[in-house]
Amino acid sequence: MSALDPVVLFFVLGVAAGLMRSDLRLPSAVYEFVTMVLLLAIGLKGGVELSRQPLAPLVPQMLAVVAMGLLLPLLAYPVLHHAGKLARADAASIAAHYGSVSVGTYAVVAAYLSAQGVAFEEYMPVFVVLLEVPAIVVGILLARGWNAGHRWGELGREIFLGKGVVLLAGGLLIGWVAGADGVQPIGALFFDLFKGILALFLLEMGLIAVSQLGDLRRCGLFLGGFAIGFPLLAALIGGTLGWVLGLSPGGTVVLATLAASASYIAVPAAMRMAVPQANPSLSLAAALGVTFPFNILIGIPLYHAAVRLLYPDGA
Amino acid sequence: MSALDPVVLFFVLGVAAGLMRSDLRLPSAVYEFVTMVLLLAIGLKGGVELSRQPLAPLVPQMLAVVAMGLLLPLLAYPVLHHAGKLARADAASIAAHYGSVSVGTYAVVAAYLSAQGVAFEEYMPVFVVLLEVPAIVVGILLARGWNAGHRWGELGREIFLGKGVVLLAGGLLIGWVAGADGVQPIGALFFDLFKGILALFLLEMGLIAVSQLGDLRRCGLFLGGFAIGFPLLAALIGGTLGWVLGLSPGGTVVLATLAASASYIAVPAAMRMAVPQANPSLSLAAALGVTFPFNILIGIPLYHAAVRLLYPDGA
Amino acid sequence: MSALDPVVLFFVLGVAAGLMRSDLRLPSAVYEFVTMVLLLAIGLKGGVELSRQPLAPLVPQMLAVVAMGLLLPLLAYPVLHHAGKLARADAASIAAHYGSVSVGTYAVVAAYLSAQGVAFEEYMPVFVVLLEVPAIVVGILLARGWNAGHRWGELGREIFLGKGVVLLAGGLLIGWVAGADGVQPIGALFFDLFKGILALFLLEMGLIAVSQLGDLRRCGLFLGGFAIGFPLLAALIGGTLGWVLGLSPGGTVVLATLAASASYIAVPAAMRMAVPQANPSLSLAAALGVTFPFNILIGIPLYHAAVRLLYPDGA
Amino acid sequence: MHTETRTLLTVVCEASVASRLIADLERLGARGYTITEARGKGGRGVRDAGWDRSANLRLEVVCDAATAHAIASHLRDHYYDHFAMILFLAEVKVLRARKFGSDTA
Amino acid sequence: MHTETRTLLTVVCEASVASRLIADLERLGARGYTITEARGKGGRGVRDAGWDRSANLRLEVVCDAATAHAIASHLRDHYYDHFAMILFLAEVKVLRARKFGSDTA
Amino acid sequence: MHTETRTLLTVVCEASVASRLIADLERLGARGYTITEARGKGGRGVRDAGWDRSANLRLEVVCDAATAHAIASHLRDHYYDHFAMILFLAEVKVLRARKFGSDTA
Ligand SMILES: Nc1ncnc2c1ncn2[C@@H]1O[C@H](COP(=O)(O)O)[C@@H](O)[C@H]1O
Ligand SMILES: Nc1ncnc2c1ncn2[C@@H]1O[C@H](COP(=O)(O)O)[C@@H](O)[C@H]1O
Ligand SMILES: Nc1ncnc2c1ncn2[C@@H]1O[C@H](COP(=O)(O)O)[C@@H](O)[C@H]1O
Ligand code: NA
Ligand code: NA
Ligand code: NA
C-alpha cells in the first residue's frame, strides 16, 4: 500500500515537521547532492535498458511522447489564461511546468511499482528526458509569440544545459555506452542506495511543499484546483497514450504519472530567463505545494487502480 | 577490543589531527548530513523493533527510564551549584545536558556491542528518544522556577521540534509503521552504511573535542572532574536500573551508557532559548571535550566489564 | 577498454558539460566529502594490505620510491627554468607538483586495472603517501635555497598536516591497526561505494579541467607540451623502477602512473605558503587542465600497453 | 540617477537566535533582510561549527534611520547580555527609497 | 597610509540571474566582483532554497562612482521589474585605487 | 541611542591565507573578526572552488581607525604582491565602542 511505502512516509514526515514549524532542513549542498544522484541514477537505469535493445522500434513511441509534451501545455494555457484570468506570461509559464515532468515524481512511481511487484518498461527514463524540453519551447512561444526578440541560442543553452537535463541525459548516455556490466561497479551508489537517497529527497520535498503554502494561499482557489484537476486530465491522456502505444500496464501507469507531474527543476530555471515577467512563485506553489504531494500520496495509487481496471489480468 | 574498533580509531584520528592543528574539517553541510543519517537510522532501527512486539509490556520500562531522565539532572544540579559554586543558570543548564543523552555515544555503544557479538534489546532507541526531553524540562525549572514568565508553548516547540528530536522520533515512527520488510529497501543507506557514516561522524567529533579544550581550560578543574565523575555515577544508576528492569546484559550496558552520556544536540539548542543567561561553552566543553571522549574510549568498555561481573555467563 | 570504463565516462561528461558552459557544479561541500571518502578509502585499503604482511621487506621499495620522488622534481626544474624560461619560483613550484602524485589518478588506475582483471600490489597506497611529500621539500629548496629564512617548523605542519596527507595517512594507519576484519564493517561506505563516489569526483574533475583552459591558454604552448611530455618521461622512470623492484606487471603500471601524475591537493597548498611568489594558476592549469585528463584518458592505457610488451605473459 | 540615503544595519550573531531575531526585526518595521552564513571570533570566543551548534549568521537590513535605531536599541536591550552578537550601522544610497521605508530621521 | 575613495556597490538578487548579471557588470566596466551565497526576504517574499530554485546571492563591486552609477541604473532598467533584487551604494577607502578604475566622478 | 564611530575593514582574499591572516590581525590589535565564504573575480582571475583550491573568503574587522590602518598597511606590505587580495575601509557606527578598541585616530 503506497501510503505505507517508507519513502512516502519520509515525505509525510517532512510535511509534518514543516507544519509544526520545525527547524529541520536539508542543507542545500546535501539537497543538491541527493538530487544529482537521483538524476544520474534514473538516467543510468534508462541508458542500461536502451543498451539492451534496438533503438529503432522505440522511435515511434518517442515521437508520440514528444507530441504529448507539446500538446499538454497547449491544453493548460487556455484554461489558465481564460478560465483562470491569469496574465499571459503567468499562464504560459505554468502551462510549461505542467507540460513537462517531475523527476522526483517519476522516482516515486518507479519505487511504488517495484514495491508492488509491477513490471514496467525500464527505458522509461528516456521519456522523462524527452518530456523535459518540448513544453518549455511551447511555453516560451505562448508567452512571447514568434517575434525575433528571442535569443534562441542562449535560451537553447539555458534549456538543454541546465544541470537537471545534463545529469539526466548524461546518465542516460553513460548507461547506454557502458551497458549493464559496465555500470555494475557503480551500482552500489546509484542503484542500491537509490531508495534511501530518494527518502532523504522526499523528506526535504515535504518541507518545501509546506513552505509553498503561504504563496499558495495568495494564489487563490483557482490555481489550487488547477493543480489537482489538470494532472487528472493529463494522467488520462498519458494513460490512454500508454495504452495506445501498447505499453505494459506498469508502463501505462508510469506514462500517466509523467503526464500528471509538473516540473520544478528544468522548467523554472528556463522560464525565469525566457519569460522573466512571469511570477515564478505561482508555478512553484502549484507544482511543489499541490501537484507533487497530490501525485505521490493520491495520484499514483489512483492511476494504478484505474489501469488495473483496463488490464484485469496483469498489473 | 574497543580501542581497535575502527570507528573509534576515526575519533582518535580526529583528536590527533586536531591536536596537531591540521586544517582538517568536515564541511558543516556534510556534518549535518552525517548526523541526520545517524539520527534517522537509529530511529528506524528502534521503530522496526517496536513493530515486532506489543508495546504494552514496554510501558513500565519506558516510565522508569523517563523517571531516570528526571532524576539525573536533580542529582547533578546541587553538585554543580553548591559543590562547584556555578551560577544557578549554568548549573541548571549543565545538569540538563547530563540528564539527557548523546545519540553519538549510543551509536558507538551499539557498534561496540555488535562488534563484541553481545546482543541487546533492539528497541533501545525508544529510550534514547524518551531520555532526550525530560532533563530539559527539569533544567528549565531549576533555572527559572515555576514562574509564569515561561512561554512554554514556544519552548515546547523548541524542545520537541528541534531537528534532532524530529529525526529520531520521525525515524522511529516510520520504522514502526513500515516494519522490517517496509524498511528493507532503504536499508542499504540507513543500515549497511551506518558504521561508515558513524566513522566520519566520529572523525569530526574528535576534531570538535579538541576545539573545546581551550574553553575547558578556562572552566577549571572542577568541571573537568564532574565531566568524568558524574557519568560514572550515572552509569551506575543506569546499569542498576537496567538490571532491575531485567534487561539483557547488553541492554544493561546500553542503559548505563545512555545515563552516562551528555547531550550536545537537543539540549544546547533548547537551553539557549530557555535559559540564555547560561554560558553554553561550559556545557559544550564538558560534554564534547571530556564526557564524550571518556565514554567512547574508556567508559563503554568499563561499563561492559562491570556488567560482565554481574552476569558471569552471558555478556 | 578504458574509454568505456563508466567512471571515465563521468569525466568525459564533466568535460562536455564544461565545454558547453552548463551551470553544472558539484557543491563544494559535496566535492570535499567525495574527496575525503576517496582519500580515506585509498588509505584504508593500503593499510589493510600492510597488516597482511611484514613491513621489513617493503622498506627497500619504499626508499627507492622516495628517491624517485626526490629525483623527478630535479629533472623537471631545469626543463622548466632553462628550456621554458619560467621564473625560478614558478619552475620550482611546477616541478614540485609533477614530482608529487595525484590521488585521483591513482584511484582511476586502480579502478582501471581491477576492471581489466589485472592484479597489483594492494599496498600501493603506501607509495602514494610516500610520494606526496619529498617533491614538496625539493621544490621549496629549489625556490629558496638553503637560507635560514625558512620557518621549516610551520612549513612542516603545512606539508604533513594538510587534510590530504592526514586523511590518506590516517586511513592507512587505521587500516593497518584494524586489519581486514576490523575494517569490514565500514567497507560498505569506503569500498563498495568507492567507484560510484569516484564517478562523482571525476564528473567534477572534468568541469574543473575545462575551467582551467582559460589560464592554460595564457600559459602558452611550452607548459602545455611539458604537461604531456614530462609525464611520459616520468612514467618511463616509474615503470622502469617498478620493473627493477620486481613489482607485478599491474604494480609496474601503477608506479608508472603515479610517477606520471601531478599533485593538485597537497602540493598547491604547501607551495602557496612556502613559495607565494609562484603563480599557482600555472601549475594548476598544467596539472588539472592537461596532465590529469591526459593520464586518465590516454596515459593509463598507454602505460598498460607498454608494460604488456615487457611481460608478454601476465598483465 | 536619483538616489536617497538609507541606513544599512548589519548584525553578526549566533545562529541560534535567527528565528526570534527575524520576528523582532519585522515587528520593528524592517521590510526585508538578507542573511549569509558566517563564522568568527569575538568576546565570546571562536564561533565556527555545523549543526547550528555555534555557527554565526550575518544579517543585513536596509531601512530608514529611525527603524535602524529602533532595532539597534532593541537588540542591545534584549540580546547583548546573553547572546554572541555585534551590530554596526552605515549610511548607504538606494534607488527605490520607498521600498526601505520613508526616512523619518 | 595613502587611501583613495571608491564606491562599493552591493547587489542582493535571486541566484538565477548570476551569469547574466556578471556579464553585464563586466561590460559596464567592473574590474572584479565578490559573491557570497545568501538568503533573505523582501517584496517578493522569502528566498531560501537549494538547487538555485530560490536562493539569493550577494554581489559586491568596488569601482569608481561613474561605473557604479552606470551599473546601478542598468540594473534598475533591466532587472528591477522582473527579478528579486535590491542594491545599495556606499563610499569606501581603498589602497590601490588604480585597481578599481580611475575616479572620474 | 548613543553610538560611536569605528572603522569597518573588509578584506577579500584567497582562502589559503586564512590562518596566517587571522594571526596577523590579532597581533595587530583586532578584538574580533567575521568570515564568510566567497567567490569572485579580480586581477588574478576567477576564484571559485571547493577543497580550498581557489576559494575566497571575505573577512570583516570592526576596530578603531588606528588599528584598521595598521592592519591595512601590513596586508599591503606582506600580502598584496603574492596573494589574491583586496581590502577596503568604511566608517560605521557602533553601540558598545569599547568592544572595538578606543578610537585613537
Ligand atoms: N571586532 C569585530 N569585528 C568583526 N566581527 C566581530 C568583532 N567582534 C565580534 N565579531 C563577530 O560577532 C560575533 C559575536 O561577537 P561576540 O559576542 O563578541 O563573541 C563573533 O563570533 C564575530 O563573528
Ligand atoms: N530591506 C531590505 N534589507 C536587506 N535586504 C533586503 C531588503 N529587501 C530585500 N532584501 C534582499 O533582497 C532580496 C530581493 O528583494 P525583493 O526583490 O524585495 O524580494 C531579498 O530576498 C532579500 O535578500
Ligand atoms: N573590483 C572588485 N570588486 C569586488 N571584489 C573584487 C574586486 N576585485 C577583486 N575582488 C575580489 O578580490 C579577490 C582577489 O582579487 P585579485 O587579487 O584582484 O584577484 C577576487 O577573487 C574578488 O573576490
Ligand atoms: Na506533465
Ligand atoms: Na545522561
Ligand atoms: Na608525479
Side-chain angles (χ1 to χ4, degrees), chain B residues 72 97-101 234 258-262:
Chain B
L72 288 174
H97 283 73
Y98 280 82
S100 183
V101 288
L258 288 178
S261 73

PDB file of all heavy atoms in Angstrom, chain B residues 72 97-101 234 258-262, ligand 5:
ATOM      1  N   LEU B  72      18.310  12.295  37.104  1.00  0.00           N
ATOM      2  CA  LEU B  72      19.734  12.617  36.890  1.00  0.00           C
ATOM      3  C   LEU B  72      20.035  14.111  37.014  1.00  0.00           C
ATOM      4  O   LEU B  72      20.953  14.497  37.744  1.00  0.00           O
ATOM      5  CB  LEU B  72      20.198  12.059  35.547  1.00  0.00           C
ATOM      6  CG  LEU B  72      20.359  10.532  35.480  1.00  0.00           C
ATOM      7  CD1 LEU B  72      20.670  10.075  34.068  1.00  0.00           C
ATOM      8  CD2 LEU B  72      21.437  10.063  36.455  1.00  0.00           C
ATOM      9  N   HIS B  97      22.083  18.944  30.361  1.00  0.00           N
ATOM     10  CA  HIS B  97      22.899  18.230  29.374  1.00  0.00           C
ATOM     11  C   HIS B  97      23.205  16.807  29.849  1.00  0.00           C
ATOM     12  O   HIS B  97      23.118  15.853  29.083  1.00  0.00           O
ATOM     13  CB  HIS B  97      24.212  18.975  29.118  1.00  0.00           C
ATOM     14  CG  HIS B  97      24.057  20.172  28.250  1.00  0.00           C
ATOM     15  ND1 HIS B  97      23.467  21.342  28.675  1.00  0.00           N
ATOM     16  CD2 HIS B  97      24.413  20.405  26.963  1.00  0.00           C
ATOM     17  CE1 HIS B  97      23.470  22.233  27.706  1.00  0.00           C
ATOM     18  NE2 HIS B  97      24.035  21.692  26.649  1.00  0.00           N
ATOM     19  N   TYR B  98      23.544  16.680  31.137  1.00  0.00           N
ATOM     20  CA  TYR B  98      23.956  15.363  31.638  1.00  0.00           C
ATOM     21  C   TYR B  98      22.772  14.470  31.961  1.00  0.00           C
ATOM     22  O   TYR B  98      22.909  13.244  32.022  1.00  0.00           O
ATOM     23  CB  TYR B  98      24.907  15.518  32.824  1.00  0.00           C
ATOM     24  CG  TYR B  98      26.305  15.826  32.369  1.00  0.00           C
ATOM     25  CD1 TYR B  98      26.672  17.128  32.033  1.00  0.00           C
ATOM     26  CD2 TYR B  98      27.231  14.810  32.187  1.00  0.00           C
ATOM     27  CE1 TYR B  98      27.940  17.413  31.564  1.00  0.00           C
ATOM     28  CE2 TYR B  98      28.502  15.088  31.716  1.00  0.00           C
ATOM     29  CZ  TYR B  98      28.855  16.385  31.405  1.00  0.00           C
ATOM     30  OH  TYR B  98      30.105  16.655  30.911  1.00  0.00           O
ATOM     31  N   GLY B  99      21.591  15.064  32.137  1.00  0.00           N
ATOM     32  CA  GLY B  99      20.409  14.248  32.339  1.00  0.00           C
ATOM     33  C   GLY B  99      19.897  13.678  31.028  1.00  0.00           C
ATOM     34  O   GLY B  99      19.270  12.622  30.993  1.00  0.00           O
ATOM     35  N   SER B 100      20.198  14.364  29.934  1.00  0.00           N
ATOM     36  CA  SER B 100      19.769  13.900  28.622  1.00  0.00           C
ATOM     37  C   SER B 100      20.816  12.944  28.043  1.00  0.00           C
ATOM     38  O   SER B 100      21.710  12.510  28.764  1.00  0.00           O
ATOM     39  CB  SER B 100      19.564  15.109  27.708  1.00  0.00           C
ATOM     40  OG  SER B 100      19.094  14.701  26.453  1.00  0.00           O
ATOM     41  N   VAL B 101      20.672  12.604  26.778  1.00  0.00           N
ATOM     42  CA  VAL B 101      21.558  11.582  26.192  1.00  0.00           C
ATOM     43  C   VAL B 101      22.278  12.075  24.952  1.00  0.00           C
ATOM     44  O   VAL B 101      21.836  13.008  24.292  1.00  0.00           O
ATOM     45  CB  VAL B 101      20.751  10.334  25.783  1.00  0.00           C
ATOM     46  CG1 VAL B 101      20.301   9.563  26.994  1.00  0.00           C
ATOM     47  CG2 VAL B 101      19.575  10.744  24.920  1.00  0.00           C
ATOM     48  N   ALA B 234      26.234   8.187  37.044  1.00  0.00           N
ATOM     49  CA  ALA B 234      25.033   7.978  36.227  1.00  0.00           C
ATOM     50  C   ALA B 234      25.030   6.576  35.623  1.00  0.00           C
ATOM     51  O   ALA B 234      23.993   5.917  35.554  1.00  0.00           O
ATOM     52  CB  ALA B 234      24.966   9.033  35.128  1.00  0.00           C
ATOM     53  N   LEU B 258      23.826   5.227  28.170  1.00  0.00           N
ATOM     54  CA  LEU B 258      22.914   6.348  27.918  1.00  0.00           C
ATOM     55  C   LEU B 258      22.902   7.283  29.118  1.00  0.00           C
ATOM     56  O   LEU B 258      22.989   8.509  28.977  1.00  0.00           O
ATOM     57  CB  LEU B 258      21.502   5.835  27.635  1.00  0.00           C
ATOM     58  CG  LEU B 258      21.289   5.161  26.283  1.00  0.00           C
ATOM     59  CD1 LEU B 258      19.859   4.649  26.161  1.00  0.00           C
ATOM     60  CD2 LEU B 258      21.598   6.136  25.167  1.00  0.00           C
ATOM     61  N   ALA B 259      22.809   6.708  30.320  1.00  0.00           N
ATOM     62  CA  ALA B 259      22.775   7.536  31.527  1.00  0.00           C
ATOM     63  C   ALA B 259      24.068   8.342  31.640  1.00  0.00           C
ATOM     64  O   ALA B 259      24.054   9.526  31.993  1.00  0.00           O
ATOM     65  CB  ALA B 259      22.598   6.648  32.747  1.00  0.00           C
ATOM     66  N   ALA B 260      25.182   7.711  31.280  1.00  0.00           N
ATOM     67  CA  ALA B 260      26.488   8.363  31.422  1.00  0.00           C
ATOM     68  C   ALA B 260      26.745   9.421  30.355  1.00  0.00           C
ATOM     69  O   ALA B 260      27.636  10.251  30.496  1.00  0.00           O
ATOM     70  CB  ALA B 260      27.586   7.307  31.362  1.00  0.00           C
ATOM     71  N   SER B 261      25.959   9.390  29.291  1.00  0.00           N
ATOM     72  CA  SER B 261      26.253  10.300  28.171  1.00  0.00           C
ATOM     73  C   SER B 261      25.594  11.655  28.391  1.00  0.00           C
ATOM     74  O   SER B 261      24.623  11.782  29.122  1.00  0.00           O
ATOM     75  CB  SER B 261      25.739   9.688  26.870  1.00  0.00           C
ATOM     76  OG  SER B 261      24.324   9.760  26.839  1.00  0.00           O
ATOM     77  N   ALA B 262      26.153  12.665  27.758  1.00  0.00           N
ATOM     78  CA  ALA B 262      25.637  14.029  27.880  1.00  0.00           C
ATOM     79  C   ALA B 262      25.241  14.549  26.511  1.00  0.00           C
ATOM     80  O   ALA B 262      25.994  14.416  25.547  1.00  0.00           O
ATOM     81  CB  ALA B 262      26.690  14.936  28.500  1.00  0.00           C
TER      82      ALA B 262
HETATM   83 NA    NA G   5      22.844  11.246  30.555  1.00  0.00          NA
END
